[in-house]
Amino acid sequence: RPDLAAALRELRSQYEDLAARNLQAAEDWYRARCARLHERAARSQEAVRASRREAGECRRQLQARLVEMESLRGAHQSLERQLQELEERHNAEAAGLQDTIGQLEDDLRNTKNEMARHLREYQDLLNVKMALDIEIAAYRKLLEGEETLFNMGSSGIPSLNSLPSPTYSFQPRSFSSST
């Protein structure tokens, strides 16, 4: 009868060796797997930290941009108000200048009318002066004629016919007005 106990011991020892090797392989596999998982976890944690740093930097940049945008919005509103004030001031000045232009045009029209009136009065006065000059010249000729009659005294009446008869020529000057 074969030795069963020895065969069982040998089988047991083989199973124990196999179990020890399997246990050792499982432990090695487990340790390798844990090491890889720890390495992945470390990398993931580093990636999470980097992502958090990047997110924090993005938040800071976003806050800076929001502050800058608010500042620019305020500057834009200020410039819009200044532009509106300038336009209102310009419109007021333009309206004032238009009023001044209207007044000056009225003054110019009145001055032109007054100049035309003065020119007509001057023309009338000049015509009266010319008529008076002609009358004075006629009276002067008459007076000269009477003086010569007086001076001639006794020479006689027939010499009266030899005096030149005064002729009147009235030629009024005409002035053109530019109005």
Side-chain angles (χ1 to χ4, degrees):
R1 164 173 207 210
D3 189 19
L4 256 106
L8 281 174
R9 269 185 263 151
E10 189 161 327
L11 271 171
R12 185 180 270 185
S13 81
Q14 285 177 2
Y15 278 124
E16 284 177 1
D17 283 344
L18 186 62
R21 275 185 291 180
N22 281 344
L23 185 62
Q24 186 64 36
E27 273 186 35
D28 289 344
W29 176 83
Y30 175 75
R31 284 187 191 131
R33 185 85 171 150
C34 281
R36 276 183 285 169
L37 287 176
H38 282 297
E39 188 179 313
R40 271 180 162 175
R43 278 185 287 175
S44 295
Q45 282 179 347
E46 187 59 38
V48 167
R49 282 188 207 115
S51 295
R52 284 183 183 160
R53 281 192 301 265
E54 189 176 331
E57 183 63 30
C58 287
R59 274 191 217 103
R60 281 190 294 279
Q61 287 179 355
L62 177 64
Q63 289 297 326
R65 296 295 183 255
L66 287 174
V67 168
E68 184 179 350
M69 188 173 72
E70 286 300 317
S71 170
L72 290 174
R73 187 174 290 144
H76 179 263
Q77 289 173 350
S78 171
L79 289 173
E80 285 289 330
R81 279 193 304 272
Q82 287 178 355
L83 179 63
Q84 187 175 2
E85 289 171 2
L86 283 173
E87 285 177 350
E88 289 172 359
R89 195 174 325 135
H90 172 71
N91 289 339
E93 287 177 5
L97 291 174
Q98 286 294 341
D99 291 344
T100 304
I101 288 171
Q103 289 174 353
L104 289 174
E105 286 175 347
D106 289 344
D107 290 348
L108 180 63
R109 202 172 13 264
N110 292 338
T111 303
K112 282 183 178 181
N113 291 338
E114 193 173 327
M115 285 293 291
R117 185 178 54 83
H118 286 306
L119 192 59
R120 283 191 302 273
E121 288 175 2
Y122 176 75
Q123 186 68 38
D124 292 344
L125 288 174
L126 194 59
N127 288 341
V128 168
K129 179 190 176 289
M130 299 243 335
L132 288 174
D133 285 344
I134 291 171
E135 251 182 83
I136 289 171
Y139 284 127
R140 192 170 284 144
K141 280 190 179 184
L142 283 173
L143 284 174
E144 288 174 359
E146 283 185 19
E147 277 182 18
T148 53
L149 276 177
F150 256 181
N151 288 338
M152 288 170 86
S154 58
S155 26
I157 300 236
S159 64
L160 281 175
N161 288 338
S162 64
L163 287 175
S165 65
T167 60
Y168 301 102
S169 65
F170 177 70
Q171 296 172 346
R173 290 186 192 167
S174 64
F175 291 96
S176 66
S177 128
S178 63
T179 56

